[in-house]
Structures are given as C-alpha cells and as structure tokens.
Amino acid sequence: MTPPSAIAHIIIVGGGTAGWMSANLLMQQWGGLGCRVTLIESTEIATIGVGEGSTPYLREFFRRLGLAEREWMPACNATYKCGIEFPQWSTQPGFESYVHPFFNHDDLSLGTRFFTQACLRRRGSAADANPQDFFIAAELARQRKAPFYLPRADGRASPPTDYAYHFDAGLLGQFLKSHALKLGVTHRIGTVAEVLRQENGDISGLRLNGSGEILAGSLFIDCSGFQGLLINQALGVPFESFADNLFNDRAIAMPTALDEGQDIPSQTRSTALSHGWAWQIPLTNRFGNGYVYASAFVSAEQAEQELREHLGPAAQDSEARHLKMRVGQVSEHWRNNCLAIGLSQGFIEPLEATALMLIQFSLDHFIAALEHAHFGRAGQAGFNARTRQMFEGVRDYVVGHYQLNSRDDTEYWRANRANRKISARLASILEVWDCGADFEAELTRHGEALMYIRPSWYCLLAGMGRFPGGLRPAPGGLISSAHARSALAAKAGEFWGHRAYLQQHAAADTPPH
C-alpha cells in the first residue's frame, strides 16, 4: 500500500502525545516509501500532560510500532489497567459503586448470568445485578492483581484478560519522540508565525517566527492543542461545543505519593464529588490525581480545597495544576490538506479515558482513506462523517453517566440528571431500558454508532442501579452477588500480583506471559 503521490512531505504542528503518536504512525506507514515527516514543536507552548489512562485499543498502537511492553512501560512509569471504578455516583442501595471492566474469556459463564439478571431486574425482579460482582476484572482490581495468569503447572499459557494502561503522559510523549526520531522523523524547534495558503484554500507552508524560514509541505497535521492553530485559526473550521451535554470545563491535577507497603492498584478510580469527579491513576512511582468539574457551579479555589480534602494528608504539600478544557469537536476534522488530531480536533472529558483512542482511531481511518485513494472531497466527507460519529458515540456514553446519577446533594448533580439536551440515540436507549423492552434489539439498531459494545452499556445502566422500585421476589435458579464474588475471588488467585508482574516484566528479556 502506498500513500497518494501528492503526499510527499507531512508537517505536524505540535508535539505532545498527539503529535508524536501521529509522527510514529505516519512514518511507520509511509516512511519507507519516500514520504518525509517533519514535526515542529514550540518551546513557548507547554503541552498538557498528567497521569493518564487508556482503553485497550492502545495495545494495537504499540503492536503496529513493534514496541513490546517491556520497552516502553518502564520508561513511562506505566501500570496495567483492568477497568474503571465509579464510587459515589449512585445512591441506590447495593449500587453505590460499580466497575466498568475489561472483559475476559473466563467471564462467559458469570457474565451471561449478569446480563440475564440485569434484564430480569429492569423488568421488576429482585435479581442481583451489579457488574462489579460478576466480572473477573473487578475482582483483579479489588485484589490489586495484574491481568495475567500465573504460569500453569502443565506449562501452557493462559491468555490474559483484556486490559489497558496507566502511564505518565509527559514521559510517554518523550518516549514516542525518541522512537520517532529513530524512524527518521525530522524534529524542528520553532513557533509558527504565519500559515501560508494557496488559491484553492490548501496550506502551502508555514513561516517560522524569528528566522522567517518557510517550511513547505503537502499535508499538514494540526496537533497544536486547544488553540487549533491550523484547523480553527487558519482554515476557519468552526468548533462545536458539547457544553449542553457535558457541563465540566475545568480540571485540577495533583500528584500524591504511592504507598510502597501496598501492591499497586490495577484500576482507575473515578469518585464523584460535589461538583464533578476525582480521578486516581496509579503509576509505578506515584498516584496521578485530579478533579474534573464545572466552573458554572463551583470556583477554582473551592474545587481545589475539595480535592485536597478528598485526598487527605497525602496532598498537603502537592502542587495543584489548574487546566481549562474545551469539550466538543470541530465540524470537519479534515479540511483541504489539513487533518486535526488530538485536542485540536476535539475533546471528550476524560471520564472513560478515551483521548488516545480518539487520536488513534482518527489516524487509522485517515491512513485507510488515503491508501484507498480517498483523498478527494468524497473521501474527506466519509472520513469526517465517521469521525464525527465516533466523537458523538463516546459523548453519549459519557453523558449517560451523568443522566444516570442519583445524587441529590448539590444542584450540579440535579442539573445533570434533569438535562434533556441529550441525543435522540441516548434518549432512546434509556427509554428502552426503563420500559423493559428489547434492549438487545435497541443496541443492534444503533450498530457501530454506539462506539461502546453491548457489555459496556449493560455495565453502565445496571452499575448505576437504573432499576424500578418495589421489586418482586426473583425466580429460582439465579446466582447471588455473594456466590459470584466468591467464585471470582478464587479465580483471582490464579493471577499475578500487580507489582510482582511489573518487576518481572521490566527485567525479563521476554514477557512472562
């Protein structure tokens, strides 16, 4: 496969994770075919990097680059992620917390029971149906286990559970930069002073500040962050806010120490606070913490104080970093010869850790479009439609968390629950669940536009306790949460401890699984 002949020189504006992911994938794909890739990075513009998590899709990114976990994870203080825990989003008895797990082949039996019992409960039967009681990933998180089986006595290898990662975003950017340079990417330090245009609207080159040098290119990737230097400022592509759907527009990041006396957690924790939610991301050397909140409901000073109280003494000497978020997406992710990637194309608040997935998805589909000769307007329209669909699908799933909350302690949570400015798709999903109709058919009807697979929707709705009151006794033959948890606890004994696996993994010439 080859890129279009017109794509001889790709210029990426902006570094950080988005820029260096783009540089690596594009150079890996086309560098050997004569395509040049140059990345321009300004020392005047800081990148936004904190402790970050991913979805399992990131594993494919590293596979594409031929990078083993033992090569990149120790360099980025990375750990494994079995899922996300959501404490205090619900006040429903028995559903005060739930886990959105990544799934395992051993989940088939108990997972099938969970789906059956969730449907029984939404139709009025008192069946146990909290997903954290039925999936092995939730138990691995409770026991701080890695998503890998211990060696079997017969020498055969058992496949790992599905999993993702936690990592230091700044260190990941540095690692990807180093790898991109090895691939042959040209790195330039400079600030763009002027974007030069052709008569047809294409970008012809970039004039650098100070030297006045002009860098000419055939394809430009905007990784300039929320400023959207190329896509918004130069090309005038409008930004479409999701503020009507998602109220949160600020974040505070604050590191704390890791307890060396305990094993390392293997889950992200997203705890609901009074005006948003607090993340906790375990790295090998520290915790990354933060508070995502809505500035219309609480001041930055009040939010920082609440985060410090939430973290307790561990945060006493920690510095708080205040961030603004532009939540939404551009109306066209690809216009003329410019592709927006990362924060310049859009952002969904980090509740489900989708930022890198959105970058990777966009790049993968862009590469596919070019390699199938879809560089014209029809190809652009198809790419933009699919990318917009992806952003909207992720948005709907994240908005679902706020729609389903049952807190009543602040106006923030009441306003989120009462908000009717949601998509018709999400409204239909909630209605079908609530009325006890065919939920499987509803999910099938929306197809790939949902972005999240069937088990994830069940875990969200059941995990939040979205069930009717006045339940009648459940039929016989069901499994209790206590029995399911007991079975999972026994199964988790077959898995590595998280810290032990990371230590062995980092020192081994080959992965132990």
Side-chain angles (χ1 to χ4, degrees):
M1 303 294 285
T2 60
S5 58
I7 309 301
H9 186 199
I10 301 172
I11 297 179
I12 301 169
V13 177
T17 309
W20 290 113
M21 283 183 74
S22 301
N24 275 282
L25 280 181
L26 296 171
M27 196 67 183
Q28 176 80 14
Q29 192 74 14
W30 294 327
L33 302 171
C35 181
R36 293 185 295 131
V37 178
T38 298
L39 186 145
I40 304 171
E41 191 171 28
S42 174
T43 57
E44 299 175 10
I45 302 172
T47 58
I48 296 177
V50 294
E52 194 164 338
S54 79
T55 69
Y57 192 35
L58 191 62
R59 292 161 58 191
E60 174 62 17
F61 170 79
F62 288 108
R63 188 200 66 77
R64 288 265 299 275
L65 296 180
L67 291 169
E69 291 173 351
R70 65 184 182 278
E71 296 179 67
W72 74 268
M73 288 185 68
C76 302
N77 295 331
T79 62
Y80 291 102
K81 174 181 173 181
C82 295
I84 308 173
E85 182 185 10
F86 293 92
Q88 300 176 25
W89 287 72
S90 170
T91 60
Q92 303 298 326
F95 298 91
E96 295 86 354
S97 178
Y98 84 97
V99 172
H100 181 190
F102 301 132
F103 304 103
N104 176 270
H105 66 283
D106 283 332
D107 285 327
L108 182 60
S109 177
L110 283 178
T112 299
R113 293 289 195 97
F114 163 72
F115 299 133
T116 299
Q117 294 186 193
C119 283
L120 284 171
R121 191 175 182 108
R122 72 186 182 89
R123 289 168 175 159
S125 293
D128 288 347
N130 189 321
Q132 68 183 7
D133 302 327
F134 290 86
F135 292 95
I136 187 62
E139 184 62 33
L140 296 179
R142 281 190 288 271
Q143 295 193 28
R144 303 192 174 199
K145 294 292 187 77
F148 300 100
Y149 286 92
L150 291 162
R152 289 171 40 155
D154 59 9
R156 295 170 58 194
S158 297
T161 69
D162 203 5
Y163 63 88
Y165 307 106
H166 302 115
F167 48 86
D168 183 310
L171 293 179
L172 179 61
Q174 294 175 28
F175 180 88
L176 293 177
K177 171 183 175 180
S178 176
H179 189 263
L181 296 180
K182 292 176 184 176
L183 292 177
V185 172
T186 300
H187 182 213
R188 297 293 303 272
I189 299 296
T191 302
V192 175
E194 183 182 4
V195 179
L196 306 177
R197 305 280 299 280
Q198 300 180 37
E199 290 186 4
N200 67 357
D202 283 358
I203 298 173
S204 60
L206 306 173
R207 189 188 306 277
L208 299 185
N209 193 25
S211 67
E213 178 186 4
I214 294 176
L215 294 181
S218 44
L219 174 65
F220 295 82
I221 312 295
D222 188 346
C223 298
S224 64
F226 288 140
Q227 67 172 322
L229 180 65
L230 305 183
I231 198 72
N232 296 136
Q233 296 183 32
L235 297 185
V237 176
F239 179 79
E240 299 175 355
S241 174
F242 288 165
D244 285 349
N245 306 124
L246 294 167
F247 298 162
N248 295 339
D249 60 351
R250 298 287 190 276
I252 307 169
M254 188 181 298
T256 57
L258 192 71
D259 186 349
E260 296 294 333
Q262 294 185 334
D263 210 334
I264 301 172
S266 56
Q267 65 180 355
T268 300
R269 178 171 283 122
S270 299
T271 305
L273 300 183
S274 62
H275 298 95
W277 57 274
W279 76 77
Q280 182 190 66
I281 291 178
L283 306 179
T284 57
N285 64 325
R286 63 174 173 85
F287 282 112
N289 308 284
Y291 188 5
V292 176
Y293 67 95
S295 61
F297 292 85
V298 65
S299 71
E301 295 75 18
Q302 290 170 324
E304 180 179 334
Q305 179 61 32
E306 185 177 12
L307 176 60
R308 290 187 181 278
E309 291 173 358
H310 170 67
L311 296 174
Q316 181 176 350
D317 298 320
S318 294
E319 181 181 356
R321 183 180 177 193
H322 290 258
L323 307 168
K324 294 182 179 180
M325 303 186 302
R326 184 182 75 159
V327 179
Q329 66 173 328
V330 290
S331 62
E332 294 175 88
H333 296 252
W334 175 12
R335 176 180 283 188
N336 292 88
N337 62 340
C338 176
L339 173 70
I341 292 293
L343 299 179
S344 63
Q345 71 177 138
F347 183 67
I348 311 293
E349 67 156 85
L351 186 62
E352 285 284 344
T354 54
L356 299 195
M357 181 190 78
L358 296 171
I359 292 171
Q360 192 180 342
F361 183 102
S362 300
L363 288 167
D364 286 346
H365 281 71
F366 180 75
I367 289 170
L370 262 64
E371 292 198 338
H372 288 87
H374 294 157
F375 194 63
R377 290 188 176 181
Q380 284 190 344
F383 170 87
N384 284 327
R386 180 65 182 119
T387 307
R388 287 179 58 82
Q389 182 185 66
M390 171 191 65
F391 268 78
E392 290 164 2
V394 172
R395 176 205 60 194
D396 284 351
Y397 191 74
V398 172
V399 170
H401 294 71
Y402 295 97
Q403 285 285 298
L404 296 166
N405 94 83
S406 53
R407 294 175 63 120
D408 201 37
D409 54 318
T410 65
E411 181 57 29
Y412 169 86
W413 289 108
R414 292 189 291 270
N416 268 289
R417 188 167 57 251
N419 183 24
R420 297 278 66 86
K421 293 180 180 179
I422 62 175
S423 73
R425 178 171 55 235
L426 178 57
S428 179
I429 288 171
L430 297 177
E431 180 181 1
V432 169
W433 176 273
D434 288 343
C435 74
D438 191 338
F439 194 61
E440 298 287 339
E442 175 68 6
L443 297 180
T444 300
R445 182 171 74 87
H446 296 293
E448 65 179 8
L450 291 179
M451 287 304 296
Y452 280 82
I453 59 176
R454 165 181 173 263
S456 293
W457 283 99
Y458 271 92
C459 286
L460 171 61
L461 286 150
M464 288 285 199
R466 182 77 168 204
F467 297 115
L471 298 173
R472 59 182 176 273
L478 302 184
I479 186 170
S480 69
S481 290
H483 184 82
R485 277 215 186 189
S486 177
L488 292 176
K491 189 67 179 176
E494 302 175 19
F495 286 76
W496 283 83
H498 196 187
R499 190 187 298 275
Y501 185 86
L502 287 166
Q503 291 171 345
Q504 171 127 354
H505 181 262
D509 291 332
T510 57
H513 59 276

